[in-house]
Amino acid sequence: MTLDSPFVLVDLDRAPHSGLGLGTAGVSGRVLVGVAEKPVEADGDFDVLLSADPDPPRPWVSCADPYATARRLAEIVAERPAASVALMQVLRMGPALAPADRLVAESLAYSTLQGSAVFRAWLDSAPARTPRPSPAPVRLSRDGDRLAITLDRPQARNAMDAGTRDALCEALEVAVLDPSITRVDLYGNGPAFCAGGDLSEFGTARDPAQAHLVRVQRSPAALLQRCGERVIAHLHGACVGAGIELTAFAGRVVATPDTVIRLPEVGMGLIPGAGGTASLPLRVGRERTAYLALSGVGLSVGEALRWGLVDEVVEGE
């Protein structure tokens, strides 16, 4: 790839310790990927680092064929350049921002991409879906100083629609406002913990600016930033998009063996919009977050445990 391309690949076996000398300004409009058979020293300019090592240290990602994986990432960037570059820009900015501001930056980028031709084309090609609102999408129960919050839309695999988001905010506000609650258990009822955003609502907000205001004012992620150290997230089945973006804020994450984690938003022409660019880097680092979001691949519970995205694997609870 040339430096005019939004995707830049560096073979670190041939150019060790090199980030091309681009610096932050030089890579701001590009996705910079490094590949090596074995992990080598690499500077902080790289967005993704791929290695054939079966168990590489952070920030490297293990791939059977890192060069083939890099070619696939190049194809994704070529197909979704605006979303791919915006994702990297938001992730790079994160460490310099206050936690709350990371969510604002993510939402601004997400809202901008909602107005893109690529996202509209994805909407036009997606099958029509009928909204399935639930009268009580979130259940609460309290036992002494412990609060249990359960996503309860099993018919929709606990997909996050506006009603669920608002109900989850109300539930988390209980924990934030009541210091006598020392533990919050977060569950999902049914076959999946959370299948991500409810696709029946995607594209229904025709005003991206207003959507941004709603997203930052009614934010489960912002509430989890305030009480996450008291939260234990219990994952199972599909944990897609918001299903992992929100739970990565939890002080402890346990998962059953059937748990599969995925960030699909770039494939839609978007970036994670439920807090994932703020939460996942705290657990797995910016580079591994970038890989998950850019590739859209499913992450097994074993790999999630090795990375630190999951703290413990347990049998069905």
Side-chain angles (χ1 to χ4, degrees):
M1 301 294 171
T2 70
L3 290 182
D4 294 328
S5 167
F7 181 89
V8 178
L9 177 64
V10 179
D11 185 339
L12 289 167
D13 287 327
R14 296 182 179 180
H17 317 296
S18 172
L20 296 185
L22 292 173
T24 303
V27 299
S28 64
R30 302 180 178 92
V31 178
L32 183 59
V33 175
V35 295
E37 286 297 318
K38 295 289 184 181
V40 297
E41 182 181 348
D43 65 35
D45 287 344
F46 288 96
D47 297 301
V48 179
L49 289 163
L50 306 173
S51 171
D53 190 303
D55 188 21
R58 176 172 161 177
W60 292 81
V61 174
S62 175
C63 305
D65 186 339
Y67 298 94
T69 300
R71 288 193 294 272
R72 177 54 189 148
L73 295 183
E75 293 170 357
I76 292 169
V77 173
E79 294 166 358
R80 304 282 189 269
S84 301
V85 170
L87 170 67
M88 302 311 160
Q89 290 171 333
V90 170
L91 287 172
R92 290 176 199 141
M93 286 190 293
L97 299 176
D101 291 337
R102 294 171 197 169
L103 299 178
V104 174
E106 175 187 280
S107 181
L108 286 169
Y110 187 93
S111 293
T112 299
L113 292 166
Q114 280 185 312
S116 70
V118 171
F119 176 59
R120 291 297 161 186
W122 180 87
L123 280 177
D124 291 342
S125 66
R129 293 175 171 86
T130 302
R132 293 173 290 177
S134 303
V138 175
R139 288 188 286 111
L140 284 122
S141 64
R142 181 164 181 174
D143 182 7
D145 60 359
R146 296 171 66 170
L147 179 70
I149 300 174
T150 304
L151 304 178
D152 197 17
R153 295 185 72 211
Q155 76 283 4
R157 299 199 305 161
N158 297 318
M160 193 72 61
D161 62 358
T164 305
R165 176 204 63 208
D166 291 346
L168 181 58
C169 282
E170 291 178 4
L172 290 170
E173 283 172 353
V174 173
V176 168
L177 296 174
D178 188 346
S180 71
I181 296 173
T182 61
R183 172 170 166 171
V184 180
D185 288 285
L186 184 57
Y187 299 99
N189 183 28
F193 175 80
C194 177
D198 193 322
L199 298 185
S200 69
E201 291 191 347
F202 270 46
T204 56
R206 292 292 172 176
D207 184 340
Q210 183 62 31
H212 163 66
L213 292 178
V214 171
R215 195 176 300 108
V216 296
Q217 291 170 357
R218 303 176 192 169
S219 173
L223 292 164
L224 282 163
Q225 282 183 329
R226 298 171 63 186
C227 69
E229 72 281 356
R230 291 180 279 154
V231 175
I232 301 176
H234 303 260
L235 308 186
H236 70 281
C239 296
V240 179
I244 189 61
E245 295 176 53
L246 294 175
T247 51
F249 284 113
R252 184 165 181 79
V253 178
V254 298
T256 57
D258 67 339
T259 301
V260 177
I261 291 163
R262 194 162 66 87
L263 295 174
E265 293 90 347
V266 169
M268 306 171 188
L270 301 171
I271 66 170
T277 63
S279 62
L280 269 74
L282 297 177
R283 282 184 163 268
V284 305
R286 172 177 67 86
E287 297 87 352
R288 286 178 170 177
T289 301
Y291 170 76
L292 280 180
L294 186 61
S295 68
V297 300
L299 188 71
S300 71
V301 70
E303 192 73 354
L305 181 65
R306 285 191 290 273
W307 284 14
L309 190 50
V310 165
D311 298 305
E312 183 183 3
V313 178
V314 298
E315 292 302 321
E317 295 182 286

